[in-house]
Amino acid sequence: MLRKCAAVIAALFMSNVPIWADPVTLVANGGGLTVMGDVLGYDGKFIRVDTEFGELTLDFEEVTCTGDDCPDPDQFVPALSFAGAHRIGDLLLPSLVEAYARQSGLSFLRTESGASQFSYVLADAVTEQEKLRLTFRLSNTDEGFADLLANEADVVMAVREVRPTERNLARDIGLGDLTDTGRSRIVALDGLVPIVSPGQTVKSIALADLDRAFSGEISNWSELGGRDAPINLYLRDVNSGLAQGFEDRVLGPSDASLSSGAIRLDNDQALSDAVFSDSNALGVTAFESIGDAEPLGLTGPCGLTVTADRTRLRTEDYPLTIPLFLYLPQRRLPDAAMAFLNYVRSPEAQRVVRRAGFVDQAGVPTAIKGQGDRLATAILNAGEEVPLTELQRMMRVLGKLERLSMTFRFEVGSTRLDAQSRSNAARMARDLRAGVHRDQRLIFVGFSDARGPASENRKLSSARAEAVQRRVNVALGETELSDFTLETEAFGEALPMACDDTEWGRQVNRRVEVWVGPRLE
């Protein structure tokens, strides 16, 4: 049995720890297996050793270990190391660590070990026994993934999604597929926002024009409806994950390159201040870092304009919403470390995220009467094939319900939910198990863009709503729950949120919203 267990879990990795110097001997307590090797890691339950048979991972309680380098379970302190983006590690995660310690009845001690490195020790408040050590190395998203690939970190703090090259390298060295379910946590939300000086007469910009401006194809404000003046471009430095996300999301679809004339700045405050002081500036920054500059809305040819605010970032109705990620490899982590990572996704943690000044993921309900502007604008822009009777049906169905600020969307050209939506499915399942929606009916309401016949679009939106319901049911697992109901509904192209004559507008319109109300008797 021990040999079989070792074979099954031999591919799993454990927390990064130094390699021990001398070999140890492991003998199965029931006999039948004896191995010698160098200790590669120990996580409090399993020991990983490099043997003549290759790398093996064994249940430490099922073996007897002899040798100077055998780990001592009584002295073991679980550890977890983070590396990556300053935006996440500077304020957000420390706030979560300290709140988690207080909630768990633990004391915490923070120790600085350099300009961008620090650690926390969480201990029993009474006995002072150490329960968890957390270390942080703040740099940028690129270096965070590099540290993970070099086995110098357990968790990456990333302000963009993992790139294909990083995903492939991680998979090739046995860290699993970082895009799989469970390999990432979204800890908060942010957004890429175009900003200008307060005196600028241009108040909105099409996403396509933002692309053309930052690639140098447009160089004068008069081409955007402003005065005759050059456009001075500002963006974060090349190592910034947000700048990389901007290039991926805005310049990438047209295969454009950033203009060589763009001014690169190494922190958000410097960028906001520079744009504020330059009447000809056009910059892009994070939602939380706009400062005294003026944000521009994103518009399309049909005239619909979307501005960045907390509600639109939560629902992804703002097209340049950026999740803030923690990426975890396929590696065994100590139970105490997993407890903290699971806390990060809890409702209590979301309140901490909000107090820290970031956009949380709480499913805030909004009654239909509080969505008048959204509904009026959308209905006015509904396609000609949408009859009045369908709009009336939609209002009858939704009129007594509330919309949750949790929206499901799909990756471009795919039936796979995007990263934020995969996180939403897991979060909804947790909320349902916790009784957050007790005695309620939840309706997954599908919408589509207006390409193609309206009847087909309604079928597509219905299929998407059913796909989301299936995903939530899978996340619920075998849980026996009967105090809520899950339903689906679909209205096709009846409620557009952005212009259908742009790809990003169609992507915004293809969505599944969540509406809640009392269960029907």
Side-chain angles (χ1 to χ4, degrees), residues 451-514:
R451 300 178 75 182
S455 58
E456 291 301 313
N457 287 333
R458 187 166 179 273
K459 291 179 183 177
L460 285 171
S461 63
S462 178
R464 291 191 183 105
E466 291 168 1
V468 170
Q469 183 182 22
R470 286 194 299 271
R471 180 67 182 239
V472 172
N473 281 329
V474 168
L476 282 169
E478 301 298 324
T479 307
E480 291 287 341
L481 299 171
S482 59
D483 56 358
F484 61 86
T485 58
L486 302 181
E487 307 170 25
T488 64
E489 184 56 271
F491 297 104
E493 59 193 69
L495 197 62
M497 302 305 302
C499 297
D500 255 332
D501 39 17
T502 63
E503 178 53 43
W504 71 266
R506 291 189 290 271
Q507 183 71 9
V508 168
N509 290 336
R510 295 191 289 264
R511 68 196 186 278
V512 176
E513 299 180 356
V514 185

Side-chain angles (χ1 to χ4, degrees), residues 303-332:
L304 283 176
T305 298
V306 182
T307 55
D309 59 34
R310 292 179 179 274
T311 298
R312 289 189 178 95
L313 290 174
R314 286 194 189 103
T315 60
E316 279 191 283
D317 288 344
Y318 184 72
L320 295 181
T321 300
I322 300 291
L324 304 182
F325 293 96
L326 300 180
Y327 277 98
L328 292 71
Q330 183 178 300
R331 168 187 293 168
R332 277 200 55 82

Side-chain angles (χ1 to χ4, degrees), residues 86 235-238 240 263-271:
H86 267 272
L235 192 63
R236 277 292 310 274
D237 57 285
V238 67
S240 163
I263 300 169
R264 310 299 292 262
L265 298 167
D266 61 6
N267 67 78
D268 296 331
Q269 184 65 53
L271 191 149

Side-chain angles (χ1 to χ4, degrees), residues 195-202 219 221 227 229-235 261-263 265 269-283 292-294 296:
I195 57 174
V196 295
S197 173
Q200 178 58 249
T201 58
V202 173
S219 60
W221 280 106
R227 60 181 179 273
I231 299 174
N232 298 331
L233 302 172
Y234 292 86
L235 192 63
I263 300 169
L265 298 167
Q269 184 65 53
L271 191 149
S272 175
D273 290 346
V275 171
F276 175 80
S277 302
D278 183 350
S279 60
N280 297 327
L282 173 61
D292 294 326
E294 188 80 19
L296 295 182

Side-chain angles (χ1 to χ4, degrees), residues 101-410:
R102 285 189 288 266
Q103 177 178 297
S104 305
L106 302 173
S107 64
F108 60 86
L109 175 65
R110 174 168 171 159
T111 303
E112 307 291 334
S113 52
S116 299
Q117 297 186 58
F118 57 91
S119 62
Y120 278 93
V121 173
L122 277 56
D124 186 286
V126 177
T127 66
E128 298 184 353
Q129 180 183 1
E130 293 185 9
K131 298 295 185 181
L132 181 62
R133 294 174 184 165
L134 302 169
T135 60
F136 293 84
R137 178 176 178 269
L138 309 188
S139 52
N140 54 62
T141 299
D142 281 357
E143 292 192 29
F145 280 113
D147 285 345
L148 179 70
L149 295 171
N151 200 34
E152 294 178 356
D154 297 312
V155 183
V156 180
M157 302 177 289
V159 295
R160 59 165 172 79
E161 292 192 49
V162 59
R163 284 176 164 170
T165 51
E166 295 160 339
R167 175 189 181 188
N168 293 338
L169 284 170
R171 188 167 47 198
D172 290 346
I173 64 174
L175 299 183
D177 188 338
L178 295 179
T179 67
D180 279 349
T181 301
R183 300 275 68 81
S184 65
R185 305 276 195 277
I186 294 178
V187 66
L189 301 171
D190 209 330
L192 295 168
V193 183
I195 57 174
V196 295
S197 173
Q200 178 58 249
T201 58
V202 173
K203 300 302 179 184
S204 63
I205 187 170
L207 200 59
D209 287 339
L210 191 63
D211 174 5
R212 294 167 65 203
F214 272 87
S215 64
E217 185 179 342
I218 292 176
S219 60
N220 194 289
W221 280 106
S222 63
E223 299 176 81
L224 298 175
R227 60 181 179 273
D228 182 10
I231 299 174
N232 298 331
L233 302 172
Y234 292 86
L235 192 63
R236 277 292 310 274
D237 57 285
V238 67
N239 292 320
S240 163
L242 282 173
Q244 293 169 2
F246 172 76
E247 294 185 56
D248 291 347
R249 297 277 294 275
V250 177
L251 302 180
S254 65
D255 292 323
S257 298
L258 183 67
S259 169
S260 60
I263 300 169
R264 310 299 292 262
L265 298 167
D266 61 6
N267 67 78
D268 296 331
Q269 184 65 53
L271 191 149
S272 175
D273 290 346
V275 171
F276 175 80
S277 302
D278 183 350
S279 60
N280 297 327
L282 173 61
V284 171
T285 192
F287 174 73
E288 298 294 343
S289 303
I290 293 171
D292 294 326
E294 188 80 19
L296 295 182
L298 295 177
T299 189
C302 70
L304 283 176
T305 298
V306 182
T307 55
D309 59 34
R310 292 179 179 274
T311 298
R312 289 189 178 95
L313 290 174
R314 286 194 189 103
T315 60
E316 279 191 283
D317 288 344
Y318 184 72
L320 295 181
T321 300
I322 300 291
L324 304 182
F325 293 96
L326 300 180
Y327 277 98
L328 292 71
Q330 183 178 300
R331 168 187 293 168
R332 277 200 55 82
L333 294 174
D335 291 344
M338 288 304 302
F340 170 67
L341 292 172
N342 290 334
Y343 163 80
V344 165
R345 300 194 291 187
S346 69
E348 295 81 9
Q350 291 307 301
R351 287 193 284 272
V352 176
V353 169
R354 191 161 56 248
R355 288 197 300 269
F358 290 80
V359 179
D360 62 278
Q361 301 173 80
V364 180
T366 304
I368 200 164
K369 64 181 180 181
Q371 304 178 56
D373 290 343
R374 181 178 92 100
L375 293 172
T377 301
I379 290 171
L380 286 172
N381 286 274
E384 295 180 359
E385 294 185 54
V386 180
L388 175 61
T389 53
E390 182 68 354
L391 295 175
Q392 291 172 331
R393 185 179 76 87
M394 180 177 69
M395 296 307 295
R396 282 195 297 270
V397 171
L398 304 181
K400 296 182 179 180
L401 304 176
E402 296 180 315
R403 182 193 177 190
L404 288 184
S405 57
M406 179 186 294
T407 305
F408 295 86
R409 287 190 168 82
F410 298 81

Side-chain angles (χ1 to χ4, degrees), residues 10-68:
L12 295 178
F13 288 71
M14 287 184 271
S15 300
N16 56 295
V17 294
I19 296 177
W20 275 255
D22 298 317
V24 299
T25 300
L26 301 170
V27 179
N29 292 338
L33 176 68
T34 300
V35 297
M36 292 182 62
D38 295 319
V39 178
L40 299 176
Y42 175 67
D43 72 346
K45 288 187 176 181
F46 293 89
I47 183 171
R48 181 162 57 98
V49 289
D50 184 15
T51 75
E52 61 179 310
F53 307 110
E55 188 176 299
L56 296 178
T57 302
L58 305 171
D59 187 334
F60 196 64
E61 292 184 355
E62 298 294 328
V63 299
T64 298
C65 182
T66 57
D68 291 341

